[in-house]
């Protein structure tokens, strides 16, 4: 019987490695949720750095993350993933604590770049470790479960951040930010317990003369795998939808609809709740390349519909409660549809990134795939504001076409790639 038939709850109970990864994810995301809720406000209101400069500094840091994702993905095929994860967590934790020393743009760029380097590099290494530790369809279910835990942790961290926000003093902000960094340091010690035999690349060997022989990585290169590069680019474009929800939606609700401004927070909570409730369930059927392609096609149509619903909320006019209620209802439906597109596309992307990669190059492939998302995240704020916010309905229509095109393109590549990549990583033939 295939291990993919094991219910995820039973898998968590049976697999100590998975439990440890989930524990690390929870600790990390509680810290991340608290930290990133406070960061922009701390830098602008407490430190006094202009908002434009903060945006510039974080953009530069995002570029560092793109390079880091790529580089550490390759390293994960040669060095111990466990040791790299431990080291990157220590670096990230100390860098988060270092934010309390930021006092101008240069120190912000330096600190944010170190944080992003460790964060994006760690993401590629973690993905490679998951690809090795879990067979076949389990990988997507594990990633889905980890994302569910991620949203729980971020929600808890965001709620915890309400304390320093209410206090409003620099000391309250700094204590919370230091605590977030300490959580990442604590995670490093949890990661020490990961079994190297499951998460690390093939071990190095020493010759009789004492020289080190590295694993043979002469297999297929991700840079020559045109289909994989196509999937990476297209899913990176689709990943701009994360910035759409985080950046454009709040601006759209406040500046372009008659819905009450306070609705911004409930919309974000809707997204979090949908991910927590449905991410694992919606990942079913995406464990193969063909299944992932179908899911990505569905995600494209859902995302296009969500864009049109976001735009439609701005068409409602009137200054009475009825207009506000109608606009609010449309926004809630848009948030639901958007969230379904998000979790469906995420599951499809995880499956494609694993199933299209050869067993001996999983780290390099995950690094390249992560680079696509990192680049999408880097350009997302500018793209979504220049389209949805500046152009209004026309901009939302453009985004709908872009997302749908990216999804259908990904599905087309998956349909062609399925026969050639029918052997999962965990069962790849030598």
């Amino acid at each position: 019987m295939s291990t993919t038939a094991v219910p995820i709850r039973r898998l968590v109970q049976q697999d100590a490695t998975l439990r440890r990864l989930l524990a690390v994810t929870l600790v990390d995301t509680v810290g991340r949720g608290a930290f990133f809720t406070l960061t922009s406000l701390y830098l602008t209101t407490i430190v006094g750095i202009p908002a434009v400069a903060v945006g510039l500094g974080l953009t530069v840091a995002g570029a560092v993350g793109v390079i880091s994702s790529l580089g550490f993905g390759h390293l994960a095929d040669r060095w111990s993933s466990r040791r790299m994860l431990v080291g990157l967590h220590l670096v990230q934790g100390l860098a988060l604590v270092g934010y309390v020393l930021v006092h101008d743009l240069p120190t912000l760029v330096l600190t944010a770049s170190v944080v992003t380097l460790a964060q994006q590099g760690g993401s590629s290494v973690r993905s490679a470790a998951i690809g090795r530790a879990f067979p076949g369809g389990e990988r997507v279910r594990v990633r889905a479960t980890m994302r569910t835990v991620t949203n729980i942790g971020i929600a808890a961290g965001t709620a915890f951040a309400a304390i320093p926000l209410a206090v409003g003093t620099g000391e309250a902000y700094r204590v919370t930010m230091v605590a977030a960094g300490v959580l990442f340091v604590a995670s490093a010690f949890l990661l020490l317990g990961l079994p190297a035999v499951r998460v690390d690349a093939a071990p190095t060997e020493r010759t009789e003369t004492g020289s080190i022989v590295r694993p043979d990585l002469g297999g297929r290169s991700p840079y020559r795998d045109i289909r994989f590069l196509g999937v990476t680019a297209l899913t990176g474009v689709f990943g701009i939808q994360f910035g759409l929800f985080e950046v454009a939606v709040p601006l759209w609700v406040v500046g372009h609809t008659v819905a009450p401004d306070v609705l911004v927070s409930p919309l974000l909570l809707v997204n979090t709740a949908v991910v927590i409730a449905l991410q694992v369930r919606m990942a079913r059927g995406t464990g193969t390349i063909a299944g992932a392609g179908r899911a990505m096609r569905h995600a494209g149509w859902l995302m296009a519909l969500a864009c049109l619903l976001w735009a439609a909320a701005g068409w409602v006019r009137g200054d009475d409660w009825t207009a506000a209620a109608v606009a609010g209802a449309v926004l809630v439906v848009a948030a639901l549809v958007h969230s379904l597109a998000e979790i469906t596309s995420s599951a499809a992307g995880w499956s494609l990134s694993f199933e299209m990669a050869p067993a001996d190059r999983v780290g390099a492939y995950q690094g390249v795939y992560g680079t696509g998302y990192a680049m999408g995240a880097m350009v997302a704020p500018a793209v979504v504001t220049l389209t949805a916010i500046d152009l209004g309905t026309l901009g939302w229509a453009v985004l709908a076409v872009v997302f749908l095109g990216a999804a259908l393109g990904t599905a087309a590549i998956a349909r062609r790639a399925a026969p050639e990549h029918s052997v999962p990583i965990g069962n790849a033939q030598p």
Side-chain angles (χ1 to χ4, degrees):
M1 181 180 295
S2 173
T3 56
T4 58
V6 178
I8 191 65
R9 288 185 180 180
R10 187 181 304 171
L11 186 62
V12 172
Q13 294 171 353
Q14 296 175 348
D15 196 321
T17 299
L18 177 54
R19 290 198 301 273
R20 189 169 293 270
L21 286 170
L22 293 176
V24 169
T25 300
L26 182 61
V27 173
D28 284 354
T29 51
V30 169
R32 190 193 313 170
F35 186 89
F36 288 106
T37 300
L38 303 175
T39 305
S40 296
L41 288 173
Y42 173 76
L43 294 172
T44 55
T45 62
I46 304 299
V47 180
I49 301 176
V52 174
V54 170
L56 174 62
L58 296 180
T59 299
V60 173
V64 173
V66 172
I67 300 171
S68 174
S69 176
L70 191 63
F72 278 98
H74 283 276
L75 291 176
D77 286 332
R78 295 179 175 272
W79 305 98
S80 166
S81 293
R82 180 177 64 90
R83 292 179 180 176
M84 283 195 290
L85 285 172
V86 170
L88 289 169
H89 267 71
L90 289 173
V91 169
Q92 187 171 355
L94 294 174
L96 290 175
V97 173
Y99 258 88
V100 302
L101 303 177
V102 170
H103 58 275
D104 55 16
L105 180 58
T107 54
L108 168 60
V109 170
L110 175 62
T111 306
S113 295
V114 174
V115 169
T116 308
L117 180 147
Q119 179 178 326
Q120 295 296 340
S123 178
S124 292
V125 176
R126 182 188 62 185
S127 293
I130 293 171
R132 297 188 187 100
F134 301 95
E138 281 188 4
R139 291 188 294 263
V140 175
R141 294 194 302 145
V142 166
R143 286 295 300 265
T145 305
M146 292 177 69
R147 187 151 186 264
T148 299
V149 173
T150 292
N151 278 266
I152 294 172
I154 289 178
T158 302
F160 182 74
I163 298 174
L165 288 173
V167 175
T169 64
E171 288 75 12
Y173 276 81
R174 285 187 281 269
V175 167
T176 306
M177 293 164 71
V178 169
V182 170
L183 287 177
F184 274 85
V185 173
S187 288
F189 291 96
L190 289 174
L191 287 165
L192 284 171
L194 288 177
V197 69
R198 286 186 65 178
V199 302
D200 284 353
T204 58
E205 298 179 357
R206 288 185 180 273
T207 64
E208 293 181 358
T209 62
S211 60
I212 295 176
V213 179
R214 299 294 177 194
D216 180 13
L217 300 179
R220 188 168 67 248
S221 167
Y223 305 109
R224 296 180 181 178
D225 192 332
I226 301 302
R227 287 175 177 170
F228 187 82
L229 291 176
V231 166
T232 296
L234 291 171
T235 53
V237 170
F238 198 92
I240 292 175
Q241 57 87 14
F242 288 103
L244 186 69
F245 212 127
E246 295 169 1
V247 178
V249 168
L251 295 174
W252 182 254
V253 172
V254 173
H256 300 270
T257 77
V258 297
D261 295 354
V262 72
L263 189 61
V264 170
S265 292
L267 291 176
L268 296 175
L269 290 175
V270 165
N271 178 255
T272 300
V274 169
V275 172
I276 292 173
L278 297 178
Q279 181 67 80
V280 174
R281 184 182 299 273
M282 297 292 284
R284 295 173 183 171
T286 61
T288 64
I289 293 177
R294 289 191 294 271
M296 197 68 200
R297 184 169 61 250
H298 297 156
W301 288 109
L302 285 169
M303 195 65 236
L305 175 60
C307 287
L308 297 180
L309 287 168
W310 290 124
W315 303 343
V316 180
R317 292 290 179 264
D319 54 4
D320 58 357
W321 69 269
T322 303
V326 171
V330 175
L331 288 170
V332 170
V333 175
L336 287 170
V337 176
H338 189 141
S339 299
L340 291 175
E342 176 186 323
I343 59 180
T344 305
S345 64
S346 294
W350 298 329
S351 180
L352 292 172
S353 71
F354 286 129
E355 298 298 331
M356 294 180 71
D360 60 344
R361 301 303 301 276
V362 61
Y365 270 70
Q366 289 302 309
V368 170
Y369 185 78
T371 300
Y373 264 101
M375 293 182 68
M378 183 176 67
V379 304
V383 169
V384 298
T385 52
L386 289 173
T387 51
I389 304 305
D390 288 356
L391 299 179
T393 297
L394 175 60
W396 285 108
V398 169
L399 288 173
V401 172
V402 169
F403 289 134
L404 180 59
L408 295 181
T410 303
I413 294 175
R415 186 171 59 252
R416 294 187 179 94
E420 294 183 18
H421 299 273
S422 58
V423 180
I425 287 176
N427 301 316
Q429 300 298 316

